[in-house]
Amino acid sequence: MSTAKPAMKHYLQFKDLGRDDYAYLFERARWIKGEFKAYRRYWPLADRTLVMIFEKASTRTRLSFEAGMQQLGGMAIYLNTRDSQLGRGEPIEDSAQVISRMSDVVMIRTYEQGIVERFAANSRVPVINGLTNEYHPCQIMADIFTYIEHRGPIQGKTVAWIGDSNNVCHTWLQAAEVLGFEVRVATPPGYEVEPERAGLRGAGHFRQFADPMEAVRGVDIVTTDVWTSMGFEAENEARMRDFADYRVDGEMMRAAHPEAIFLHCLPAHRGEEVTAEVIDGPQSFVWDEAENRMHVQKALLEYLLLGRVNAASLNDQPRGKAIPDRGEPGERQD
Ligand code: CP
Ligand code: NVA
């Protein structure tokens, strides 16, 4: 394991890391997942503390960070707006000063991206974006890891995003630029991607479609998300009307590549953005996707705190192969 202290890095958007970093992290996540499945103890973050700040609700993000940090030998502390001074107007800069003196890494789920940026600017320790109105980078790291596990490299592939051009969509678009694939976005009129808000460098990696059937033709991944994200509840009624033709259904999956997979960050609303037939069907990998949040985030935590560890011996399995379910007693099941 390397001993040099890594330069401090934050993870606030997908593009904060490069292609080479992701290749390392995906390989690392695969190894870390294998250790977890075999109940092998791996405690590189003993005595380290993660503080998790939630200004919005969460199941997966809290659970995956908290369980992941403990599995790495560290501990995680949960703060929310209601029970902390964050909800009583303490400036985010002051909170960052204090919280980062008592912890080794911080994860924040909040509203505007500017909040995580201000926190990071005043933090002594790495800061991870656990979802903002604009981005959800840990989610897309897990989504791409899931694709690689089941289908191999994502370079040159095509992804259809159906629905709202929200935080998860923006992150797919950034990932397409960093990793070299194409995203075809189908949104209703008035909900199109704003490239600047998505933090894109150019328009070379995405195409916009009004017709979702056009967008899904021949693609490798079909994905979507709720029509109304957290913080936008006041628009719910209008959105239910506007998005009614943007529901991922069996016909769309049949128009995609025969090997296409369906992904959804969850929570899902069956009958709204996706039919039960699709999300509960054979092309859906949403449960692996949810589980993989924990494995990729463990790789990320290790990377931000320890830098690249010696992975020379970790290349013994070809990319694109899922961790096998060995099914032996005493081993965790996939
Ligand atoms: N996908 C995701 O971030 O889920 P939670 O809102 O449950 O954390
Ligand atoms: N776009 C959704 C994702 C939830 C994980 C939201 O922001 O509410």
Side-chain angles (χ1 to χ4, degrees):
M1 196 173 287
S2 68
T3 47
K5 194 168 185 282
M8 190 171 79
K9 268 191 176 43
H10 301 297
Y11 189 58
L12 308 184
Q13 312 188 28
F14 196 90
K15 67 182 179 187
D16 286 347
L17 296 177
R19 193 180 286 203
D20 185 53
D21 299 311
Y22 285 109
Y24 168 79
L25 286 168
F26 293 140
E27 183 59 24
R28 196 71 194 138
R30 192 185 62 72
W31 182 82
I32 286 172
K33 181 172 181 176
E35 297 300 282
F36 170 77
K37 294 288 179 187
Y39 281 107
R40 277 193 289 272
R41 181 177 292 177
Y42 179 57
W43 282 1
L45 302 186
D47 299 326
R48 308 290 179 108
T49 302
L50 164 70
V51 171
M52 308 182 295
I53 302 169
F54 284 92
E55 301 210 86
K56 292 176 176 171
S58 168
T59 297
R60 278 145 289 268
T61 302
R62 176 178 179 182
L63 182 60
S64 55
F65 270 105
E66 189 163 337
M69 191 65 186
Q70 287 185 15
Q71 289 163 20
L72 292 172
M75 66 176 298
I77 295 174
Y78 170 80
L79 291 180
N80 65 30
T81 313
R82 198 181 54 249
D83 303 332
S84 69
Q85 300 290 5
L86 286 161
R88 298 183 60 251
E90 182 165 14
I92 200 76
E93 290 80 4
D94 294 2
S95 303
Q97 291 281 357
V98 173
I99 291 167
S100 69
R101 280 172 183 247
M102 300 186 202
S103 59
D104 299 287
V105 56
V106 176
M107 185 241 78
I108 312 181
R109 166 167 288 196
T110 186
Y111 293 88
E112 293 78 29
Q113 180 71 9
I115 298 173
V116 293
E117 285 169 4
R118 283 163 54 208
F119 193 103
N122 290 276
S123 173
R124 292 181 165 200
V125 301
V127 177
I128 298 171
N129 179 350
L131 180 146
T132 58
N133 289 349
E134 286 79 11
Y135 308 116
H136 197 1
C138 297
Q139 182 66 55
I140 302 309
M141 211 192 304
D143 291 15
I144 293 172
F145 179 67
T146 306
Y147 183 79
I148 294 169
E149 270 192 319
H150 291 282
R151 295 287 187 268
I154 195 158
Q155 279 81 7
K157 302 294 181 187
T158 47
V159 178
W161 175 273
I162 311 299
D164 188 20
S165 60
N166 63 13
N167 41 11
V168 180
C169 173
H170 291 165
T171 310
W172 268 113
L173 292 167
Q174 284 197 2
E177 287 192 341
V178 174
L179 300 179
F181 59 90
E182 183 181 274
V183 184
R184 301 179 181 173
V185 181
T187 57
Y191 294 91
E192 292 89 354
V193 172
E194 296 168 40
E196 204 169 311
R197 186 166 150 81
L200 301 186
R201 300 190 178 109
H205 291 271
F206 90 94
R207 287 163 65 194
Q208 204 135 263
F209 293 81
D211 179 356
M213 283 305 293
E214 279 299 307
V216 296
R217 210 164 299 288
V219 299
D220 302 289
I221 300 176
V222 178
T223 185
T224 186
D225 187 11
V226 291
W227 291 339
T228 306
S229 285
M230 291 180 280
F232 296 84
E233 289 79 3
E235 300 173 16
N236 194 46
E237 210 181 302
R239 284 172 170 267
M240 290 301 127
R241 272 197 315 272
D242 296 344
F243 286 86
D245 295 332
Y246 292 78
R247 174 178 305 117
V248 176
D249 60 14
E251 193 189 350
M252 286 188 202
M253 291 309 295
R254 285 187 287 277
H257 189 279
E259 289 272 285
I261 69 168
F262 173 76
L263 296 176
H264 189 309
C265 65
L266 306 177
H269 294 163
R270 287 170 177 75
E272 291 183 18
E273 74 275 6
V274 61
T275 61
E277 175 197 9
V278 170
I279 195 167
D280 300 321
Q283 286 168 283
S284 173
F285 287 79
V286 298
W287 311 127
D288 282 354
E289 180 187 5
E291 177 189 326
N292 282 336
R293 287 290 301 279
M294 184 173 80
H295 305 304
V296 298
Q297 287 163 195
K298 285 169 75 175
L300 178 69
L301 287 163
E302 181 194 59
Y303 178 62
L304 294 177
L305 291 176
L306 303 180
R308 290 191 191 199
V309 301
N310 182 5
S313 62
L314 305 179
N315 296 317
D316 53 346
Q317 283 196 34
R319 182 82 45 84
K321 277 220 155 155
I323 303 282
D325 177 0
R326 297 184 189 86
E328 297 292 333
E331 288 184 337
R332 289 189 172 93
Q333 305 296 298
D334 279 330

